Amino acid sequence: MSDHQAPEPHETNDLAPVDTPVPWRRVHPVSPLVRGWLAVVAIAFVYGQNTLSSFFGDEEPTPGPEMVSEAPLMLSLLIGAGVLVLILLGFFLSWRFTKYQITERHVNVNSGIVFRQQRQARIDRVQSIDIAQPLVARIFGLAELRFDVADSGSAAMNLAFVKLSEAHQLRNEILARAAGLKDPAAPAPLTEPAPGHGTGIETPPEAPQPAAAQGLGASERVVAAVPVGRLIGSILLRPTTMIMVLGLIGLGIAMSMFEGFAPFYLLPAFLGMAGALWNNLNTGYNFKAAASADGLRLSYGLLDTRHQTVPPGRVAAIKVSAPFFWRKLGWYKVAVNVAGIGGAGNEAQERSVLLPVGSYEDVLAVLSVVLPDPGVEAPREFFAAAINGAGTTAGFVVSPTKIRPLSPLAYKRQGYALTDTALVARNGALHRTLAIVPHARTQGLMLRQGPLARRFGVLDLSLATISGPVSALVHQLDVAVGRELFLEQADRAAAARKQTDSNHWLGDA
């Protein structure tokens, strides 16, 4: 991805890479309003309130001729009309100077009125593409494309806003190219000239998509869905929720000991807790995971909806977790590390979730899409032992019994297993976790040993992947076992990377 000043997109640009000439297209004309509606409402509210209060306040109007008394009203109306014209002009110019282009190798977006900006993303480095619909965009039937590019650490580029149908078409087309799919036939034209325009800017088509893109968008099979009741129950049974509730109760009890205390004083803390709970509900509402040709497609959201695609070849690590209060109900959560989405922010954490809460069958269905080849002959039995088992069943190597004083509950469970395609690390006794790291996605290995670990003759093995919520760690291995695993896993990772195409993650089709 690059970010630099650029001239008009239809003119020659020496800084841009050489690509087959492709027409530039515009976003939807309503896009500036969708992006700036909040500012418009705020200006209108402040201006309207001040204007109305000045004319309908309690103060007596100053006596004078009729023309003079009406002048302030006429002046206010003229000022308001002028502000409206300036806003509309700004919206028009913003739309006029925002253009995008999709070539065989790049996605380009040009924007800016005074300071021109060109943003570019290589298609073969695109990790995933989200289709987001904020509340106002849903009213107009529009959507925003958010591109995640390798090594960017966050959304590298946004394209806002286009029609929802066009957004799905663009996503399928770009992901087909990113996956390395080849279309034997010549692709159909992506655009057709807009009548009366000779500027090189084209309007979005209603023409057929190339065969590869049609294959990606042809069908989806829902593999997991989250009922509203289960979602609410999982939110209430989360440890963080219980800590917030107990903390609020404790704060209320402590403050009630002071004279003059009123429950109203707890309102800020209550609003903070309510906001966190609402965020979990909003992002998990109507959650569906569907298998498609380009990977796992996620859709969720109550007010703001999002459609997200997670290609299996871009997944660097997977985590299955079972909090203590969920285990009796058989609920689990699945999260991943995906290149381009990594980070510690709330949005990055939300987008890394493949299943906010689901049954064991839901977990297997999701894993079958993002980890199509687990590398074992009996995946169901293996993952049953990995998620809920203990001891050496299913080929697991566990911590030695000598570390029982350090981990009295977890020493029988924590350990690892090797499959033909991944290393699986199992941890936790009360809060159970399972980390899966494909050999080809292992970026580094590290042995760690603290003072107590040296005393008991054990060490930890950490597997480095891209940033995200999954931290793959094998706890408290015997020193000899850990060193042997360290050397062997380094060789496995190197051999697996040589056989993997890091750019074209579906291969030729």
Side-chain angles (χ1 to χ4, degrees):
M1 185 198 74
S2 64
D3 192 350
H4 55 270
Q5 302 295 324
E8 289 293 331
H10 56 278
E11 299 176 357
T12 302
N13 182 8
D14 296 334
L15 297 178
V18 178
D19 265 318
T20 303
V22 175
W24 289 79
R25 289 179 273 181
R26 299 192 192 281
V27 296
H28 197 276
V30 186
S31 299
L33 176 61
V34 176
R35 290 194 297 264
W37 70 271
L38 189 59
V40 174
V41 171
I43 293 173
F45 175 78
V46 174
Y47 180 80
Q49 184 185 42
N50 293 337
T51 302
L52 292 177
S53 63
S54 64
F55 287 103
F56 298 98
D58 296 334
E59 297 182 1
E60 292 292 334
T62 304
E66 183 178 353
M67 295 257 327
V68 175
S69 62
E70 291 180 357
L73 177 60
M74 295 177 60
L75 181 60
S76 297
L77 293 177
L78 289 175
I79 293 176
V83 172
L84 179 60
V85 169
L86 290 177
I87 292 175
L88 293 177
L89 179 61
F91 282 172
F92 171 78
L93 292 177
S94 175
W95 169 79
R96 178 68 178 79
F97 286 96
T98 302
K99 312 174 183 73
Y100 67 96
Q101 179 191 56
I102 300 174
T103 70
E104 290 296 327
R105 295 183 295 174
H106 299 94
V107 178
N108 301 307
V109 176
N110 279 14
S111 61
I113 300 175
V114 178
F115 298 98
R116 304 289 291 131
Q117 183 184 64
Q118 174 174 309
R119 298 179 67 84
Q120 182 182 91
R122 281 178 51 187
I123 287 181
D124 63 354
R125 302 299 289 166
V126 171
Q127 306 298 304
S128 64
I129 302 175
D130 293 359
I131 297 179
Q133 279 191 289
L135 181 60
V136 178
R138 291 174 61 187
I139 296 175
F140 290 98
L142 303 180
E144 174 187 8
L145 288 172
R146 299 177 180 176
F147 299 85
D148 295 311
V149 180
D151 304 325
S152 67
S154 59
M157 187 168 62
N158 296 348
L159 177 59
F161 288 85
V162 295
K163 291 182 179 180
L164 180 60
S165 59
E166 184 185 353
H168 284 282
Q169 175 182 334
L170 291 173
R171 179 183 67 174
N172 295 338
E173 175 188 337
I174 295 170
L175 286 179
R177 295 181 182 180
L181 299 180
K182 300 294 190 299
D183 189 8
L190 299 179
T191 59
E192 55 186 89
H197 288 269
T199 61
I201 306 299
E202 309 286 352
T203 54
E206 297 296 337
Q209 302 178 58
Q214 289 178 353
L216 284 181
S219 62
E220 297 181 355
R221 176 175 55 88
V222 176
V223 297
V226 179
V228 177
R230 180 188 297 173
L231 176 64
I232 295 175
S234 68
I235 294 174
L236 296 178
L237 291 177
R238 287 181 181 179
T240 53
T241 303
M242 296 185 175
I243 292 173
M244 285 190 297
V245 172
L246 293 176
L248 185 61
I249 294 174
L251 180 63
I253 295 175
M255 293 183 65
S256 64
M257 298 179 181
F258 295 93
E259 185 178 355
F261 168 76
F264 178 77
Y265 297 156
L266 296 176
L267 182 60
F270 178 80
L271 292 177
M273 183 183 70
L277 297 179
W278 166 255
N279 184 62
N280 293 328
L281 177 63
N282 185 41
T283 56
Y285 185 83
N286 198 29
F287 192 101
K288 289 186 177 66
S292 66
D294 55 347
L296 188 69
R297 292 189 175 180
L298 310 176
S299 60
Y300 52 90
L302 180 56
L303 297 181
D304 299 346
T305 61
R306 172 171 287 177
H307 304 269
Q308 179 180 343
T309 303
V310 180
R314 301 303 198 194
V315 174
I318 307 169
K319 181 174 72 173
V320 181
S321 57
F324 178 75
F325 295 104
W326 288 16
R327 284 165 46 192
K328 293 294 183 181
L329 300 171
W331 292 349
Y332 306 90
K333 178 181 178 180
V334 182
V336 292
N337 290 354
V338 178
I341 300 182
N346 290 333
E347 183 179 1
Q349 296 293 322
E350 293 166 1
R351 296 176 60 207
S352 299
V353 175
L354 300 188
L355 185 66
V357 56
S359 64
Y360 177 67
E361 296 298 327
D362 293 335
V363 172
L364 292 181
V366 169
L367 290 178
S368 68
V369 180
V370 296
L371 189 69
D373 181 15
V376 292
E377 295 182 357
R380 178 178 291 271
E381 291 75 13
F382 175 79
F383 284 116
I387 296 173
N388 292 315
T392 58
T393 57
F396 272 85
V397 178
V398 297
S399 301
T401 55
K402 60 184 177 182
I403 58 95
R404 185 173 182 177
L406 295 180
S407 303
L409 299 179
Y411 78 97
K412 289 184 179 180
R413 173 172 164 77
Q414 59 191 17
Y416 74 94
L418 292 169
T419 74
D420 294 339
T421 58
L423 184 145
V424 181
R426 185 178 65 185
N427 291 295
L430 300 180
H431 183 98
R432 295 177 176 176
T433 61
L434 179 73
I436 306 169
V437 181
H439 298 318
R441 301 302 174 187
T442 303
Q443 297 183 350
L445 298 164
M446 181 173 63
L447 294 175
R448 298 188 301 189
Q449 190 180 46
L452 284 177
R454 285 196 297 271
R455 172 68 178 82
F456 283 88
V458 294
L459 50 75
D460 297 339
L461 174 66
S462 176
L463 285 79
T465 68
I466 60 176
S467 60
V470 184
S471 298
L473 184 66
V474 184
H475 282 290
Q476 297 173 332
L477 291 173
D478 185 80
V479 170
V481 174
R483 289 175 176 172
E484 181 181 3
L485 175 63
F486 176 87
L487 298 175
E488 292 180 352
Q489 185 61 21
D491 294 337
R492 290 190 197 94
R497 283 195 298 270
K498 291 180 180 179
Q499 301 175 2
T500 302
D501 186 347
S502 60
N503 288 332
H504 294 158
W505 40 265
L506 285 181
D508 294 340

mmCIF file with all atom_site columns, all heavy atoms in Angstrom, residues 39-56:
data_model
loop_
_atom_site.group_PDB
_atom_site.id
_atom_site.type_symbol
_atom_site.label_atom_id
_atom_site.label_alt_id
_atom_site.label_comp_id
_atom_site.label_asym_id
_atom_site.label_entity_id
_atom_site.label_seq_id
_atom_site.pdbx_PDB_ins_code
_atom_site.Cartn_x
_atom_site.Cartn_y
_atom_site.Cartn_z
_atom_site.occupancy
_atom_site.B_iso_or_equiv
_atom_site.pdbx_formal_charge
_atom_site.auth_seq_id
_atom_site.auth_comp_id
_atom_site.auth_asym_id
_atom_site.auth_atom_id
_atom_site.pdbx_PDB_model_num
ATOM 1   N N   . ALA A 1 39 ? -22.386 15.843 11.358 1.00 0.00 ? 39 ALA A N   1
ATOM 2   C CA  . ALA A 1 39 ? -21.978 17.248 11.420 1.00 0.00 ? 39 ALA A CA  1
ATOM 3   C C   . ALA A 1 39 ? -23.089 18.160 10.932 1.00 0.00 ? 39 ALA A C   1
ATOM 4   O O   . ALA A 1 39 ? -23.322 19.246 11.491 1.00 0.00 ? 39 ALA A O   1
ATOM 5   C CB  . ALA A 1 39 ? -20.715 17.457 10.571 1.00 0.00 ? 39 ALA A CB  1
ATOM 6   N N   . VAL A 1 40 ? -23.822 17.739 9.904  1.00 0.00 ? 40 VAL A N   1
ATOM 7   C CA  . VAL A 1 40 ? -24.939 18.544 9.395  1.00 0.00 ? 40 VAL A CA  1
ATOM 8   C C   . VAL A 1 40 ? -26.019 18.695 10.456 1.00 0.00 ? 40 VAL A C   1
ATOM 9   O O   . VAL A 1 40 ? -26.554 19.783 10.695 1.00 0.00 ? 40 VAL A O   1
ATOM 10  C CB  . VAL A 1 40 ? -25.522 17.909 8.115  1.00 0.00 ? 40 VAL A CB  1
ATOM 11  C CG1 . VAL A 1 40 ? -26.774 18.646 7.664  1.00 0.00 ? 40 VAL A CG1 1
ATOM 12  C CG2 . VAL A 1 40 ? -24.477 17.918 7.008  1.00 0.00 ? 40 VAL A CG2 1
ATOM 13  N N   . VAL A 1 41 ? -26.348 17.594 11.116 1.00 0.00 ? 41 VAL A N   1
ATOM 14  C CA  . VAL A 1 41 ? -27.375 17.635 12.163 1.00 0.00 ? 41 VAL A CA  1
ATOM 15  C C   . VAL A 1 41 ? -26.922 18.526 13.312 1.00 0.00 ? 41 VAL A C   1
ATOM 16  O O   . VAL A 1 41 ? -27.707 19.318 13.851 1.00 0.00 ? 41 VAL A O   1
ATOM 17  C CB  . VAL A 1 41 ? -27.683 16.205 12.652 1.00 0.00 ? 41 VAL A CB  1
ATOM 18  C CG1 . VAL A 1 41 ? -28.577 16.239 13.892 1.00 0.00 ? 41 VAL A CG1 1
ATOM 19  C CG2 . VAL A 1 41 ? -28.353 15.403 11.551 1.00 0.00 ? 41 VAL A CG2 1
ATOM 20  N N   . ALA A 1 42 ? -25.651 18.425 13.699 1.00 0.00 ? 42 ALA A N   1
ATOM 21  C CA  . ALA A 1 42 ? -25.149 19.247 14.806 1.00 0.00 ? 42 ALA A CA  1
ATOM 22  C C   . ALA A 1 42 ? -25.198 20.734 14.458 1.00 0.00 ? 42 ALA A C   1
ATOM 23  O O   . ALA A 1 42 ? -25.633 21.563 15.276 1.00 0.00 ? 42 ALA A O   1
ATOM 24  C CB  . ALA A 1 42 ? -23.714 18.829 15.154 1.00 0.00 ? 42 ALA A CB  1
ATOM 25  N N   . ILE A 1 43 ? -24.788 21.094 13.241 1.00 0.00 ? 43 ILE A N   1
ATOM 26  C CA  . ILE A 1 43 ? -24.823 22.501 12.829 1.00 0.00 ? 43 ILE A CA  1
ATOM 27  C C   . ILE A 1 43 ? -26.258 23.009 12.773 1.00 0.00 ? 43 ILE A C   1
ATOM 28  O O   . ILE A 1 43 ? -26.574 24.110 13.246 1.00 0.00 ? 43 ILE A O   1
ATOM 29  C CB  . ILE A 1 43 ? -24.125 22.669 11.463 1.00 0.00 ? 43 ILE A CB  1
ATOM 30  C CG1 . ILE A 1 43 ? -22.623 22.384 11.610 1.00 0.00 ? 43 ILE A CG1 1
ATOM 31  C CG2 . ILE A 1 43 ? -24.335 24.070 10.912 1.00 0.00 ? 43 ILE A CG2 1
ATOM 32  C CD1 . ILE A 1 43 ? -21.884 22.357 10.289 1.00 0.00 ? 43 ILE A CD1 1
ATOM 33  N N   . ALA A 1 44 ? -27.142 22.188 12.203 1.00 0.00 ? 44 ALA A N   1
ATOM 34  C CA  . ALA A 1 44 ? -28.538 22.599 12.103 1.00 0.00 ? 44 ALA A CA  1
ATOM 35  C C   . ALA A 1 44 ? -29.163 22.778 13.477 1.00 0.00 ? 44 ALA A C   1
ATOM 36  O O   . ALA A 1 44 ? -29.937 23.709 13.714 1.00 0.00 ? 44 ALA A O   1
ATOM 37  C CB  . ALA A 1 44 ? -29.324 21.566 11.286 1.00 0.00 ? 44 ALA A CB  1
ATOM 38  N N   . PHE A 1 45 ? -28.814 21.893 14.409 1.00 0.00 ? 45 PHE A N   1
ATOM 39  C CA  . PHE A 1 45 ? -29.395 21.976 15.753 1.00 0.00 ? 45 PHE A CA  1
ATOM 40  C C   . PHE A 1 45 ? -28.927 23.243 16.469 1.00 0.00 ? 45 PHE A C   1
ATOM 41  O O   . PHE A 1 45 ? -29.733 24.002 17.034 1.00 0.00 ? 45 PHE A O   1
ATOM 42  C CB  . PHE A 1 45 ? -28.999 20.739 16.559 1.00 0.00 ? 45 PHE A CB  1
ATOM 43  C CG  . PHE A 1 45 ? -29.443 20.789 17.998 1.00 0.00 ? 45 PHE A CG  1
ATOM 44  C CD1 . PHE A 1 45 ? -30.758 20.523 18.340 1.00 0.00 ? 45 PHE A CD1 1
ATOM 45  C CD2 . PHE A 1 45 ? -28.541 21.106 19.010 1.00 0.00 ? 45 PHE A CD2 1
ATOM 46  C CE1 . PHE A 1 45 ? -31.179 20.575 19.662 1.00 0.00 ? 45 PHE A CE1 1
ATOM 47  C CE2 . PHE A 1 45 ? -28.949 21.170 20.324 1.00 0.00 ? 45 PHE A CE2 1
ATOM 48  C CZ  . PHE A 1 45 ? -30.271 20.903 20.649 1.00 0.00 ? 45 PHE A CZ  1
ATOM 49  N N   . VAL A 1 46 ? -27.605 23.475 16.425 1.00 0.00 ? 46 VAL A N   1
ATOM 50  C CA  . VAL A 1 46 ? -27.071 24.650 17.120 1.00 0.00 ? 46 VAL A CA  1
ATOM 51  C C   . VAL A 1 46 ? -27.589 25.933 16.491 1.00 0.00 ? 46 VAL A C   1
ATOM 52  O O   . VAL A 1 46 ? -28.052 26.856 17.182 1.00 0.00 ? 46 VAL A O   1
ATOM 53  C CB  . VAL A 1 46 ? -25.529 24.615 17.110 1.00 0.00 ? 46 VAL A CB  1
ATOM 54  C CG1 . VAL A 1 46 ? -24.954 25.897 17.688 1.00 0.00 ? 46 VAL A CG1 1
ATOM 55  C CG2 . VAL A 1 46 ? -25.020 23.413 17.901 1.00 0.00 ? 46 VAL A CG2 1
ATOM 56  N N   . TYR A 1 47 ? -27.543 26.004 15.176 1.00 0.00 ? 47 TYR A N   1
ATOM 57  C CA  . TYR A 1 47 ? -27.991 27.222 14.494 1.00 0.00 ? 47 TYR A CA  1
ATOM 58  C C   . TYR A 1 47 ? -29.494 27.432 14.689 1.00 0.00 ? 47 TYR A C   1
ATOM 59  O O   . TYR A 1 47 ? -29.951 28.538 14.988 1.00 0.00 ? 47 TYR A O   1
ATOM 60  C CB  . TYR A 1 47 ? -27.669 27.138 13.009 1.00 0.00 ? 47 TYR A CB  1
ATOM 61  C CG  . TYR A 1 47 ? -28.091 28.355 12.229 1.00 0.00 ? 47 TYR A CG  1
ATOM 62  C CD1 . TYR A 1 47 ? -27.318 29.513 12.231 1.00 0.00 ? 47 TYR A CD1 1
ATOM 63  C CD2 . TYR A 1 47 ? -29.273 28.354 11.487 1.00 0.00 ? 47 TYR A CD2 1
ATOM 64  C CE1 . TYR A 1 47 ? -27.698 30.629 11.524 1.00 0.00 ? 47 TYR A CE1 1
ATOM 65  C CE2 . TYR A 1 47 ? -29.671 29.467 10.780 1.00 0.00 ? 47 TYR A CE2 1
ATOM 66  C CZ  . TYR A 1 47 ? -28.884 30.610 10.795 1.00 0.00 ? 47 TYR A CZ  1
ATOM 67  O OH  . TYR A 1 47 ? -29.278 31.718 10.098 1.00 0.00 ? 47 TYR A OH  1
ATOM 68  N N   . GLY A 1 48 ? -30.266 26.371 14.536 1.00 0.00 ? 48 GLY A N   1
ATOM 69  C CA  . GLY A 1 48 ? -31.719 26.496 14.708 1.00 0.00 ? 48 GLY A CA  1
ATOM 70  C C   . GLY A 1 48 ? -32.093 26.877 16.117 1.00 0.00 ? 48 GLY A C   1
ATOM 71  O O   . GLY A 1 48 ? -32.990 27.704 16.329 1.00 0.00 ? 48 GLY A O   1
ATOM 72  N N   . GLN A 1 49 ? -31.425 26.281 17.105 1.00 0.00 ? 49 GLN A N   1
ATOM 73  C CA  . GLN A 1 49 ? -31.745 26.599 18.494 1.00 0.00 ? 49 GLN A CA  1
ATOM 74  C C   . GLN A 1 49 ? -31.448 28.060 18.805 1.00 0.00 ? 49 GLN A C   1
ATOM 75  O O   . GLN A 1 49 ? -32.262 28.755 19.423 1.00 0.00 ? 49 GLN A O   1
ATOM 76  C CB  . GLN A 1 49 ? -30.947 25.678 19.418 1.00 0.00 ? 49 GLN A CB  1
ATOM 77  C CG  . GLN A 1 49 ? -31.288 25.860 20.899 1.00 0.00 ? 49 GLN A CG  1
ATOM 78  C CD  . GLN A 1 49 ? -30.403 25.015 21.783 1.00 0.00 ? 49 GLN A CD  1
ATOM 79  O OE1 . GLN A 1 49 ? -29.198 24.928 21.556 1.00 0.00 ? 49 GLN A OE1 1
ATOM 80  N NE2 . GLN A 1 49 ? -30.980 24.393 22.793 1.00 0.00 ? 49 GLN A NE2 1
ATOM 81  N N   . ASN A 1 50 ? -30.279 28.537 18.354 1.00 0.00 ? 50 ASN A N   1
ATOM 82  C CA  . ASN A 1 50 ? -29.923 29.932 18.619 1.00 0.00 ? 50 ASN A CA  1
ATOM 83  C C   . ASN A 1 50 ? -30.870 30.892 17.897 1.00 0.00 ? 50 ASN A C   1
ATOM 84  O O   . ASN A 1 50 ? -31.276 31.922 18.452 1.00 0.00 ? 50 ASN A O   1
ATOM 85  C CB  . ASN A 1 50 ? -28.482 30.200 18.184 1.00 0.00 ? 50 ASN A CB  1
ATOM 86  C CG  . ASN A 1 50 ? -27.481 29.450 19.044 1.00 0.00 ? 50 ASN A CG  1
ATOM 87  O OD1 . ASN A 1 50 ? -27.779 29.082 20.177 1.00 0.00 ? 50 ASN A OD1 1
ATOM 88  N ND2 . ASN A 1 50 ? -26.295 29.215 18.504 1.00 0.00 ? 50 ASN A ND2 1
ATOM 89  N N   . THR A 1 51 ? -31.232 30.567 16.668 1.00 0.00 ? 51 THR A N   1
ATOM 90  C CA  . THR A 1 51 ? -32.123 31.441 15.899 1.00 0.00 ? 51 THR A CA  1
ATOM 91  C C   . THR A 1 51 ? -33.504 31.511 16.514 1.00 0.00 ? 51 THR A C   1
ATOM 92  O O   . THR A 1 51 ? -34.081 32.594 16.705 1.00 0.00 ? 51 THR A O   1
ATOM 93  C CB  . THR A 1 51 ? -32.217 30.952 14.449 1.00 0.00 ? 51 THR A CB  1
ATOM 94  O OG1 . THR A 1 51 ? -30.902 30.925 13.875 1.00 0.00 ? 51 THR A OG1 1
ATOM 95  C CG2 . THR A 1 51 ? -33.096 31.875 13.621 1.00 0.00 ? 51 THR A CG2 1
ATOM 96  N N   . LEU A 1 52 ? -34.053 30.348 16.860 1.00 0.00 ? 52 LEU A N   1
ATOM 97  C CA  . LEU A 1 52 ? -35.399 30.322 17.422 1.00 0.00 ? 52 LEU A CA  1
ATOM 98  C C   . LEU A 1 52 ? -35.438 30.984 18.801 1.00 0.00 ? 52 LEU A C   1
ATOM 99  O O   . LEU A 1 52 ? -36.397 31.685 19.135 1.00 0.00 ? 52 LEU A O   1
ATOM 100 C CB  . LEU A 1 52 ? -35.892 28.877 17.514 1.00 0.00 ? 52 LEU A CB  1
ATOM 101 C CG  . LEU A 1 52 ? -36.149 28.181 16.171 1.00 0.00 ? 52 LEU A CG  1
ATOM 102 C CD1 . LEU A 1 52 ? -36.564 26.737 16.394 1.00 0.00 ? 52 LEU A CD1 1
ATOM 103 C CD2 . LEU A 1 52 ? -37.243 28.911 15.389 1.00 0.00 ? 52 LEU A CD2 1
ATOM 104 N N   . SER A 1 53 ? -34.393 30.756 19.586 1.00 0.00 ? 53 SER A N   1
ATOM 105 C CA  . SER A 1 53 ? -34.394 31.358 20.922 1.00 0.00 ? 53 SER A CA  1
ATOM 106 C C   . SER A 1 53 ? -34.294 32.883 20.849 1.00 0.00 ? 53 SER A C   1
ATOM 107 O O   . SER A 1 53 ? -34.831 33.594 21.708 1.00 0.00 ? 53 SER A O   1
ATOM 108 C CB  . SER A 1 53 ? -33.237 30.795 21.749 1.00 0.00 ? 53 SER A CB  1
ATOM 109 O OG  . SER A 1 53 ? -31.990 31.132 21.154 1.00 0.00 ? 53 SER A OG  1
ATOM 110 N N   . SER A 1 54 ? -33.631 33.394 19.809 1.00 0.00 ? 54 SER A N   1
ATOM 111 C CA  . SER A 1 54 ? -33.506 34.848 19.688 1.00 0.00 ? 54 SER A CA  1
ATOM 112 C C   . SER A 1 54 ? -34.815 35.507 19.252 1.00 0.00 ? 54 SER A C   1
ATOM 113 O O   . SER A 1 54 ? -35.052 36.674 19.537 1.00 0.00 ? 54 SER A O   1
ATOM 114 C CB  . SER A 1 54 ? -32.396 35.178 18.690 1.00 0.00 ? 54 SER A CB  1
ATOM 115 O OG  . SER A 1 54 ? -32.733 34.712 17.402 1.00 0.00 ? 54 SER A OG  1
ATOM 116 N N   . PHE A 1 55 ? -35.674 34.760 18.587 1.00 0.00 ? 55 PHE A N   1
ATOM 117 C CA  . PHE A 1 55 ? -36.931 35.342 18.095 1.00 0.00 ? 55 PHE A CA  1
ATOM 118 C C   . PHE A 1 55 ? -38.133 34.979 18.963 1.00 0.00 ? 55 PHE A C   1
ATOM 119 O O   . PHE A 1 55 ? -39.157 35.646 18.923 1.00 0.00 ? 55 PHE A O   1
ATOM 120 C CB  . PHE A 1 55 ? -37.189 34.892 16.658 1.00 0.00 ? 55 PHE A CB  1
ATOM 121 C CG  . PHE A 1 55 ? -36.294 35.561 15.661 1.00 0.00 ? 55 PHE A CG  1
ATOM 122 C CD1 . PHE A 1 55 ? -35.223 34.871 15.132 1.00 0.00 ? 55 PHE A CD1 1
ATOM 123 C CD2 . PHE A 1 55 ? -36.493 36.875 15.284 1.00 0.00 ? 55 PHE A CD2 1
ATOM 124 C CE1 . PHE A 1 55 ? -34.377 35.478 14.221 1.00 0.00 ? 55 PHE A CE1 1
ATOM 125 C CE2 . PHE A 1 55 ? -35.647 37.484 14.373 1.00 0.00 ? 55 PHE A CE2 1
ATOM 126 C CZ  . PHE A 1 55 ? -34.594 36.787 13.834 1.00 0.00 ? 55 PHE A CZ  1
ATOM 127 N N   . PHE A 1 56 ? -38.006 33.885 19.700 1.00 0.00 ? 56 PHE A N   1
ATOM 128 C CA  . PHE A 1 56 ? -39.149 33.466 20.506 1.00 0.00 ? 56 PHE A CA  1
ATOM 129 C C   . PHE A 1 56 ? -38.800 33.408 21.984 1.00 0.00 ? 56 PHE A C   1
ATOM 130 O O   . PHE A 1 56 ? -39.422 32.688 22.760 1.00 0.00 ? 56 PHE A O   1
ATOM 131 C CB  . PHE A 1 56 ? -39.638 32.088 20.046 1.00 0.00 ? 56 PHE A CB  1
ATOM 132 C CG  . PHE A 1 56 ? -40.108 32.074 18.615 1.00 0.00 ? 56 PHE A CG  1
ATOM 133 C CD1 . PHE A 1 56 ? -39.262 31.637 17.605 1.00 0.00 ? 56 PHE A CD1 1
ATOM 134 C CD2 . PHE A 1 56 ? -41.370 32.521 18.284 1.00 0.00 ? 56 PHE A CD2 1
ATOM 135 C CE1 . PHE A 1 56 ? -39.678 31.629 16.295 1.00 0.00 ? 56 PHE A CE1 1
ATOM 136 C CE2 . PHE A 1 56 ? -41.793 32.517 16.965 1.00 0.00 ? 56 PHE A CE2 1
ATOM 137 C CZ  . PHE A 1 56 ? -40.953 32.071 15.960 1.00 0.00 ? 56 PHE A CZ  1
#
